[in-house]
Amino acid sequence: MAAENVNVWYNVYHQAAWGNYIGTYMFLAAVAAGSIGAATLPRLFGRDTLKDIELPAIVVGLASLVVLSLILIYDLGRPERFVNLFVYLPGRIGSSPMSMAVALFSLLGLGSLIWGASVYTDNEQGAMYGAWASLVLAILTMYVNGLELAAVQSRALWSQGAVLPVLYLATAMAAGLSVAVLIGLARRIDTEPLRELGSYMTWSLVLALFTYGVYFDTVAYQGQNAAYELGILLSSSLPITIGVILGTVVPLLLLIGALKLDMGKQRSTLSGAAGISAVLVLIGVWAFRVSIVAAGYQAQILW
Amino acid sequence: MTRYAMVMDLRRCTNCKACHVACKAENDVPLGVFRTWVMESETGRYPDTNKSYLPRICNHCDDPPCVEVCPTAATFQREDGMVLQRYERCISCKYCITACPYNARYVLPRESESSGRGNEHTIGKCSYCNHRVEDGEQPACVQTCLGRTRVFGDLDDPNSEVSRLISENDVEVLKPSEGTDPQTFYIKPDRSLTDQRVVGQNLSNKEETTKEELIEEIGKYGDKAGGVY
């Protein structure tokens, strides 16, 4: 009963389940976990020159968590029942990636709230515990966010890429560092810390580009209907043009130009390159997540 | 132990859609969504064309991905294999729709008898008419099937009709590569049976039939042949 030599299918198609709201939720999850992760740089990794970004990055992370929660609840068919996610959480956390994500988002919000409050009240010990807890939870959140798609065996673009959670982790790191750069620019941090952030961002983009490559390779060569699946993914220009080229390659070149080729000796050049790169990375992460959700849902729905 | 399953004998399906109607009537399934439907495909090039019917339904898989991903345990599997829905728990996150490889789930556009009052916008699916089965009856689609395409019964009972059909025929399941272990089995249509029925009378005295003769005969009996595979 394979779909060979078929001219026409007459089938029933129920409405698409996941769309732009879920893609945007995944983007905000990357921003939230990424910026909370980036906020740990001064306290946990001794980058004292980046101290100015700590509290604002925590606030951006928390704000993203609030907005993504609202988007998720809005996307539910029965939003008033969202509390059931918590009521049945203990029994489902080992099975449903969505339950895992709900638990992680809640803990991440709580951990970073304690951390932020401790920073605000100069409670060093509380801030240290909060930062460590938030870092671990942020990394897990980035990964599980990808797992929410990768666990769905029926959608080849999600499940064939066992690399998808790693891709989500790498791009969330890039998104978080982009937020940190934008905060740094807004707070007018010195040139050296800005160069340092730009350098981290460059490496995160190299990692993201590598995982993009592994992901496309996996889909193209290991999918059951590789050509069909890849065609669906590429039918939209969002994932490649915006997600990979505009959101990863272009910022990488800009940053390399500014940092390594001494084109960024002047503060204004460095700021411009870092700022544009940060915005492009955020747009790219959003575009890829939205398109992978939409295209991934369509693949294999034919019959 | 009971393990309910369904066999679809594709040799018998005429796409009369009585199963659609019976299911809709029995379970108050709203307009625009279906618990069961018949998929059609057209193959080949004129004049050597073909039409096939594939009745679809929730496969009540042994390893149902919809149950696994549900964050509120609204979808659950009974010991007899039925995959059912607790509508009052469902938050309609649509993870189950996404996880199902068979497109068997849908968002209820309005409340219905089967979901219970006040459960609109939750996720609906085939229940194997569990309310009828518990009363010793067959699911509505099976009961109404004019060609006896659909056979429902206990897979663990070696004397049941589903067990007999599965043991006597070459059966297939949909998308076995998904690893869901579906419990809806299909007996594939046999083309030679069709040829024999449509043109066999005229060609029965010939030992061999050329393709051209066959096409000519099918053309003569085009009206009879229409709609058969």
Side-chain angles (χ1 to χ4, degrees):
Chain A
M1 282 179 279
E4 292 168 0
N5 194 28
V6 175
N7 300 329
V8 191
W9 284 118
Y10 300 100
N11 199 2
V12 164
Y13 299 103
H14 291 128
Q15 73 173 75
W18 283 0
N20 292 346
Y21 284 119
I22 297 297
T24 305
Y25 142 71
M26 291 189 159
F27 163 70
L28 288 170
V31 171
S35 31
I36 288 170
T40 61
L41 283 170
R43 188 169 297 276
L44 302 184
F45 300 95
R47 301 289 179 248
D48 290 338
T49 50
L50 298 174
K51 217 164 179 51
D52 279 355
I53 66 156
E54 186 182 25
L55 196 55
I58 296 171
V59 172
V60 169
L62 281 169
S64 303
L65 281 176
V66 170
V67 177
L68 77 84
S69 305
L70 292 175
I71 286 178
L72 266 188
I73 291 170
Y74 180 76
D75 193 52
L76 295 178
R78 298 299 298 253
E80 80 284 5
R81 291 185 184 175
F82 82 94
V83 73
N84 283 3
L85 282 168
F86 298 96
V87 171
Y88 301 107
L89 190 64
R92 304 302 301 156
I93 197 164
S95 169
S96 172
M98 186 175 283
S99 297
M100 290 178 208
V102 166
L104 282 169
F105 283 129
S106 307
L107 291 172
L108 181 63
L110 194 63
S112 50
L113 196 63
I114 291 169
W115 176 20
S118 302
V119 172
Y120 192 72
T121 57
D122 287 331
N123 176 356
E124 283 297 314
Q125 198 180 17
M128 192 58 102
Y129 286 136
W132 274 116
S134 297
L135 178 63
V136 173
L137 289 166
I139 291 170
L140 286 172
T141 302
M142 294 175 201
Y143 187 87
V144 167
N145 202 217
L147 190 66
E148 283 185 89
L149 297 185
V152 177
Q153 289 297 313
S154 61
R155 312 287 163 194
L157 288 179
W158 302 344
S159 64
Q160 294 297 333
V163 72
L164 204 57
V166 183
L167 173 61
Y168 266 51
L169 185 104
T171 48
M173 282 165 60
L177 287 164
S178 301
V179 170
V181 164
L182 291 175
I183 291 169
L185 290 173
R187 301 209 69 178
R188 299 182 184 282
I189 59 171
D190 292 338
T191 306
E192 266 319 298
L194 190 59
R195 285 183 71 87
E196 194 178 343
L197 275 177
S199 175
Y200 296 147
M201 204 169 130
T202 307
W203 285 110
S204 73
L205 288 174
V206 170
L207 180 65
L209 203 57
F210 175 73
T211 50
Y212 273 129
V214 174
Y215 172 73
F216 284 114
D217 180 63
T218 311
V219 170
Y221 292 104
Q222 292 188 11
Q224 289 173 334
N225 303 299
Y228 170 68
E229 290 149 13
L230 206 58
I232 290 237
L233 184 61
L234 300 182
S235 62
S236 155
S237 58
L238 282 175
I240 300 295
T241 313
I242 301 180
V244 181
I245 297 173
L246 202 64
T248 312
V249 177
V250 173
L252 188 59
L253 294 175
L254 275 175
L255 285 170
I256 289 172
L259 297 170
K260 303 294 175 195
L261 303 180
D262 285 344
M263 288 154 62
K265 275 183 177 170
Q266 286 189 336
R267 163 79 189 193
S268 57
T269 317
L270 179 65
S271 301
I276 292 169
S277 301
V279 172
L280 288 178
V281 167
L282 290 173
I283 292 172
V285 171
W286 172 81
F288 188 80
R289 276 161 165 72
V290 165
S291 52
I292 200 74
V293 168
Y297 184 78
Q298 289 304 317
Q300 287 198 339
I301 200 72
L302 188 63
W303 76 290
Chain B
M1 200 65 181
T2 304
R3 205 315 170 194
Y4 288 116
M6 195 175 283
V7 172
M8 307 274 195
D9 189 344
L10 299 184
R11 297 170 301 190
R12 292 165 167 266
C13 182
T14 59
N15 194 19
C16 67
K17 295 186 176 69
C19 49
H20 290 217
V21 178
C23 175
K24 288 248 179 195
E26 178 68 30
N27 297 299
D28 187 22
V29 180
L31 284 174
V33 292
F34 296 87
R35 289 185 175 199
T36 186
W37 68 98
V38 180
M39 199 176 146
E40 301 173 36
S41 68
E42 290 175 5
T43 54
R45 292 185 62 167
Y46 179 81
D48 190 13
T49 56
N50 209 348
K51 201 164 185 181
S52 307
Y53 306 128
L54 189 68
R56 300 288 299 269
I57 195 170
C58 169
N59 285 257
H60 293 267
C61 308
D62 247 1
D63 189 8
C66 52
V67 171
E68 193 178 319
V69 300
C70 180
T72 61
T75 300
F76 67 104
Q77 187 171 33
R78 293 201 323 199
E79 285 195 347
D80 59 12
M82 287 189 188
V83 177
L84 301 177
Q85 186 80 345
R86 295 183 187 108
Y87 290 92
E88 70 285 359
R89 273 195 192 192
C90 180
I91 59 172
S92 197
C93 65
K94 307 174 203 72
Y95 208 172
C96 54
I97 297 183
T98 308
C100 175
Y102 305 107
N103 189 28
R105 291 172 161 265
Y106 53 84
V107 180
L108 272 168
R110 61 162 174 81
E111 63 182 12
S112 69
E113 291 290 347
S114 56
S115 67
R117 292 292 167 220
N119 284 318
E120 64 272 19
H121 305 311
T122 54
I123 308 301
K125 71 176 289 297
C126 160
S127 61
Y128 265 167
C129 288
N130 62 319
H131 57 288
R132 291 172 60 95
V133 173
E134 283 158 13
D135 288 345
E137 295 179 73
Q138 294 279 301
C141 60
V142 176
Q143 176 104 16
T144 200
C145 183
L146 302 179
R148 293 281 290 134
T149 300
R150 293 169 184 245
V151 179
F152 176 81
D154 180 8
L155 209 56
D156 284 351
D157 175 5
N159 298 317
S160 69
E161 195 176 354
V162 285
S163 297
R164 185 183 60 75
L165 283 169
I166 289 170
S167 64
E168 289 177 1
N169 293 280
D170 184 18
V171 293
E172 286 192 17
V173 294
L174 296 181
K175 299 185 180 178
S177 59
E178 299 291 344
T180 57
D181 203 358
Q183 297 299 300
T184 298
F185 301 89
Y186 290 87
I187 300 173
K188 288 174 72 174
D190 188 338
R191 182 65 203 224
S192 64
L193 287 177
T194 319
D195 295 343
Q196 192 180 0
R197 187 163 61 205
V198 176
V199 297
Q201 298 159 6
N202 300 59
L203 301 173
S204 58
N205 54 351
K206 292 188 179 185
E207 288 186 357
E208 286 188 8
T209 308
T210 65
K211 188 180 175 186
E212 288 70 27
E213 286 175 320
L214 199 59
I215 289 169
E216 190 182 338
E217 287 298 323
I218 289 173
K220 282 182 195 168
Y221 292 85
D223 290 340
K224 286 184 187 174
V228 182
Y229 309 124

